[in-house]
């Protein structure tokens, strides 16, 4: 193993020691502390799809919620049904604003003593601040474990539960873990597969107005048969009436230009003389089979067959969130 890079942080997050692996090239922006690839992101995608290797996601933040009241407390605060969560079951959890906008998203499991979850890089401080303000008399303790635990993802560990495949590794054992779990795949490979699955990242594929119904979080991170959490009225109303204001879509991009769209770039209907934005582009990647792809939030009433321009690149849509999603399934009741 080569020597580690001389710096220890990038974009405020610990720099992964696995950037010292042969061929490692660092990522960009919030993903800069980990490797984008190790020399062949197409080959790395194929390894992951075959069930081999692992991905270093050690720049993600880790939060631990302990105490005897943790699950009933989280159940009351969040979108997920957690009061009877069984140990070892991975789940997604959202915290909403009073108007139903997604403020926090985290993913994890309970081990019988604590619920440990990971969230976007740099997001733990705000999440912990919110949770601490809501403790009141509950017997819970919230701890930031980012400095102690690193997140990795292994396709061999993916199960039936949404958001499975993630593992928490003692940060000082990350290199030992990598030697046993290899071959290493970079974030570009992981992101290409994630985007193809239609799984959004909060703050990258969403904005401050996003509600769960728009982003495909109904089910994986929002339980419709529980009640009394902040923002529930919006979620229930949109689901019952159908037709969320916007919908997450997978874009298949024209690959004739050697570039990907800029995150946050406007989406317009190709041929619209007014070029009025109908949405925005989120994350994008080059998939080894599908070619260049991206996630985007687009207005619900945009025709599914309408040709779009994503940062000037022609794009075709593939449904992730059905524009009539709430009309097909009715909740059996809210408690």
């Amino acid at each position: 193993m080569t020597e580690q890079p001389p710096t220890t942080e990038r974009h405020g997050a610990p720099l992964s020691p696995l950037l010292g692996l042969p061929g490692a090239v660092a990522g960009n922006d919030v993903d800069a502390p980990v490797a984008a690839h190790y020399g062949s992101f197409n080959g790395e995608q194929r390894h992951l799809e075959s069930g081999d290797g692992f991905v270093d996601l050690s720049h993600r933040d880790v939060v631990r919620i302990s105490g005897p009241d943790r699950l009933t407390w989280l159940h009351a605060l969040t979108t997920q049904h957690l009061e009877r969560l069984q140990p070892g079951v991975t789940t997604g959890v959202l915290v909403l604003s009073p108007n139903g906008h997604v403020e926090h998203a985290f993913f994890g499991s309970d081990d019988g003593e604590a619920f440990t979850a990971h969230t976007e890089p740099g997001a733990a401080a705000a999440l912990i601040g919110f949770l601490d303000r809501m403790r009141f008399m509950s017997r819970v303790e919230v701890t930031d474990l980012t400095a102690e635990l690193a997140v990795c993802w292994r396709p061999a560990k993916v199960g039936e539960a949404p958001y499975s495949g993630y593992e928490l590794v003692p940060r000082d054992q990350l290199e030992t873990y990598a030697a046993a779990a290899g071959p290493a795949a970079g974030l570009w490979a992981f992101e290409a597969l994630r985007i193809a699955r239609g799984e959004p990242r909060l703050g990258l594929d969403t904005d401050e107005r996003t509600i769960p119904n728009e982003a495909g979080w109904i089910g994986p991170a929002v339980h419709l048969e529980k009640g009394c959490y902040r923002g529930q009225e919006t979620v229930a109303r949109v689901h019952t009436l159908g037709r969320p204001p916007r919908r997450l879509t997978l874009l298949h991009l024209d690959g004739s230009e050697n570039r990907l769209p800029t995150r946050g770039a406007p989406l317009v209907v190709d041929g619209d003389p007014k070029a009025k934005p109908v949405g925005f582009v989120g994350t994008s990647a080059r998939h080894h089979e599908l070619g260049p792809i991206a996630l985007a939030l687009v207005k619900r009433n945009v025709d599914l067959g309408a040709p779009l321009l994503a940062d000037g690149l022609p794009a075709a849509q593939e449904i992730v969130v059905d524009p009539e999603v709430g009309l097909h399934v009715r909740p059996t009741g809210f408690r």
Side-chain angles (χ1 to χ4, degrees), residues 49-84:
E49 285 201 323
S50 69
D52 293 333
F54 78 101
V55 181
D56 175 17
L57 301 174
S58 60
H59 62 318
R60 290 182 65 82
D61 285 3
V62 179
V63 174
R64 184 176 188 263
I65 301 110
S66 59
D69 296 336
R70 67 190 181 281
L71 292 180
T72 53
W73 179 69
L74 285 172
H75 179 91
L77 289 177
T78 72
T79 59
Q80 192 54 275
H81 198 298
L82 297 171
E83 61 184 0
R84 291 189 295 273

Side-chain angles (χ1 to χ4, degrees), residues 208-329:
E208 69 282 355
R209 297 187 295 114
T210 300
I211 62 174
N213 315 63
E214 298 175 325
W217 275 318
I218 302 298
V222 178
H223 198 289
L224 287 173
E225 297 187 12
K226 60 158 285 188
C228 301
Y229 61 85
R230 191 169 72 164
Q232 185 216 6
E233 182 179 354
T234 297
V235 172
R237 182 176 65 251
V238 172
H239 185 78
T240 301
L241 297 177
R243 301 183 174 93
R246 301 177 297 178
R247 54 182 173 83
L248 188 71
T249 190
L250 176 66
L251 298 180
H252 293 268
L253 303 164
D254 185 329
S256 59
E257 293 189 41
N258 187 28
R259 68 182 180 93
L260 293 171
T262 302
R263 184 169 59 82
L267 273 177
V268 299
V269 176
D270 196 0
D272 178 3
K274 296 182 180 179
K276 186 176 180 180
V278 295
F280 68 90
V281 183
T283 52
S284 58
R286 291 180 174 86
H287 192 278
H288 71 104
E289 291 181 338
L290 301 177
I293 56 176
L295 290 176
L297 273 178
V298 62
K299 289 182 178 179
R300 180 197 60 80
N301 59 2
V302 172
D303 188 274
L304 294 171
L308 302 177
L309 289 176
D311 197 15
L313 298 172
Q317 305 173 65
E318 180 179 337
I319 293 176
V320 175
V321 173
D322 189 327
E324 310 293 343
V325 60
L327 298 181
H328 301 313
V329 180

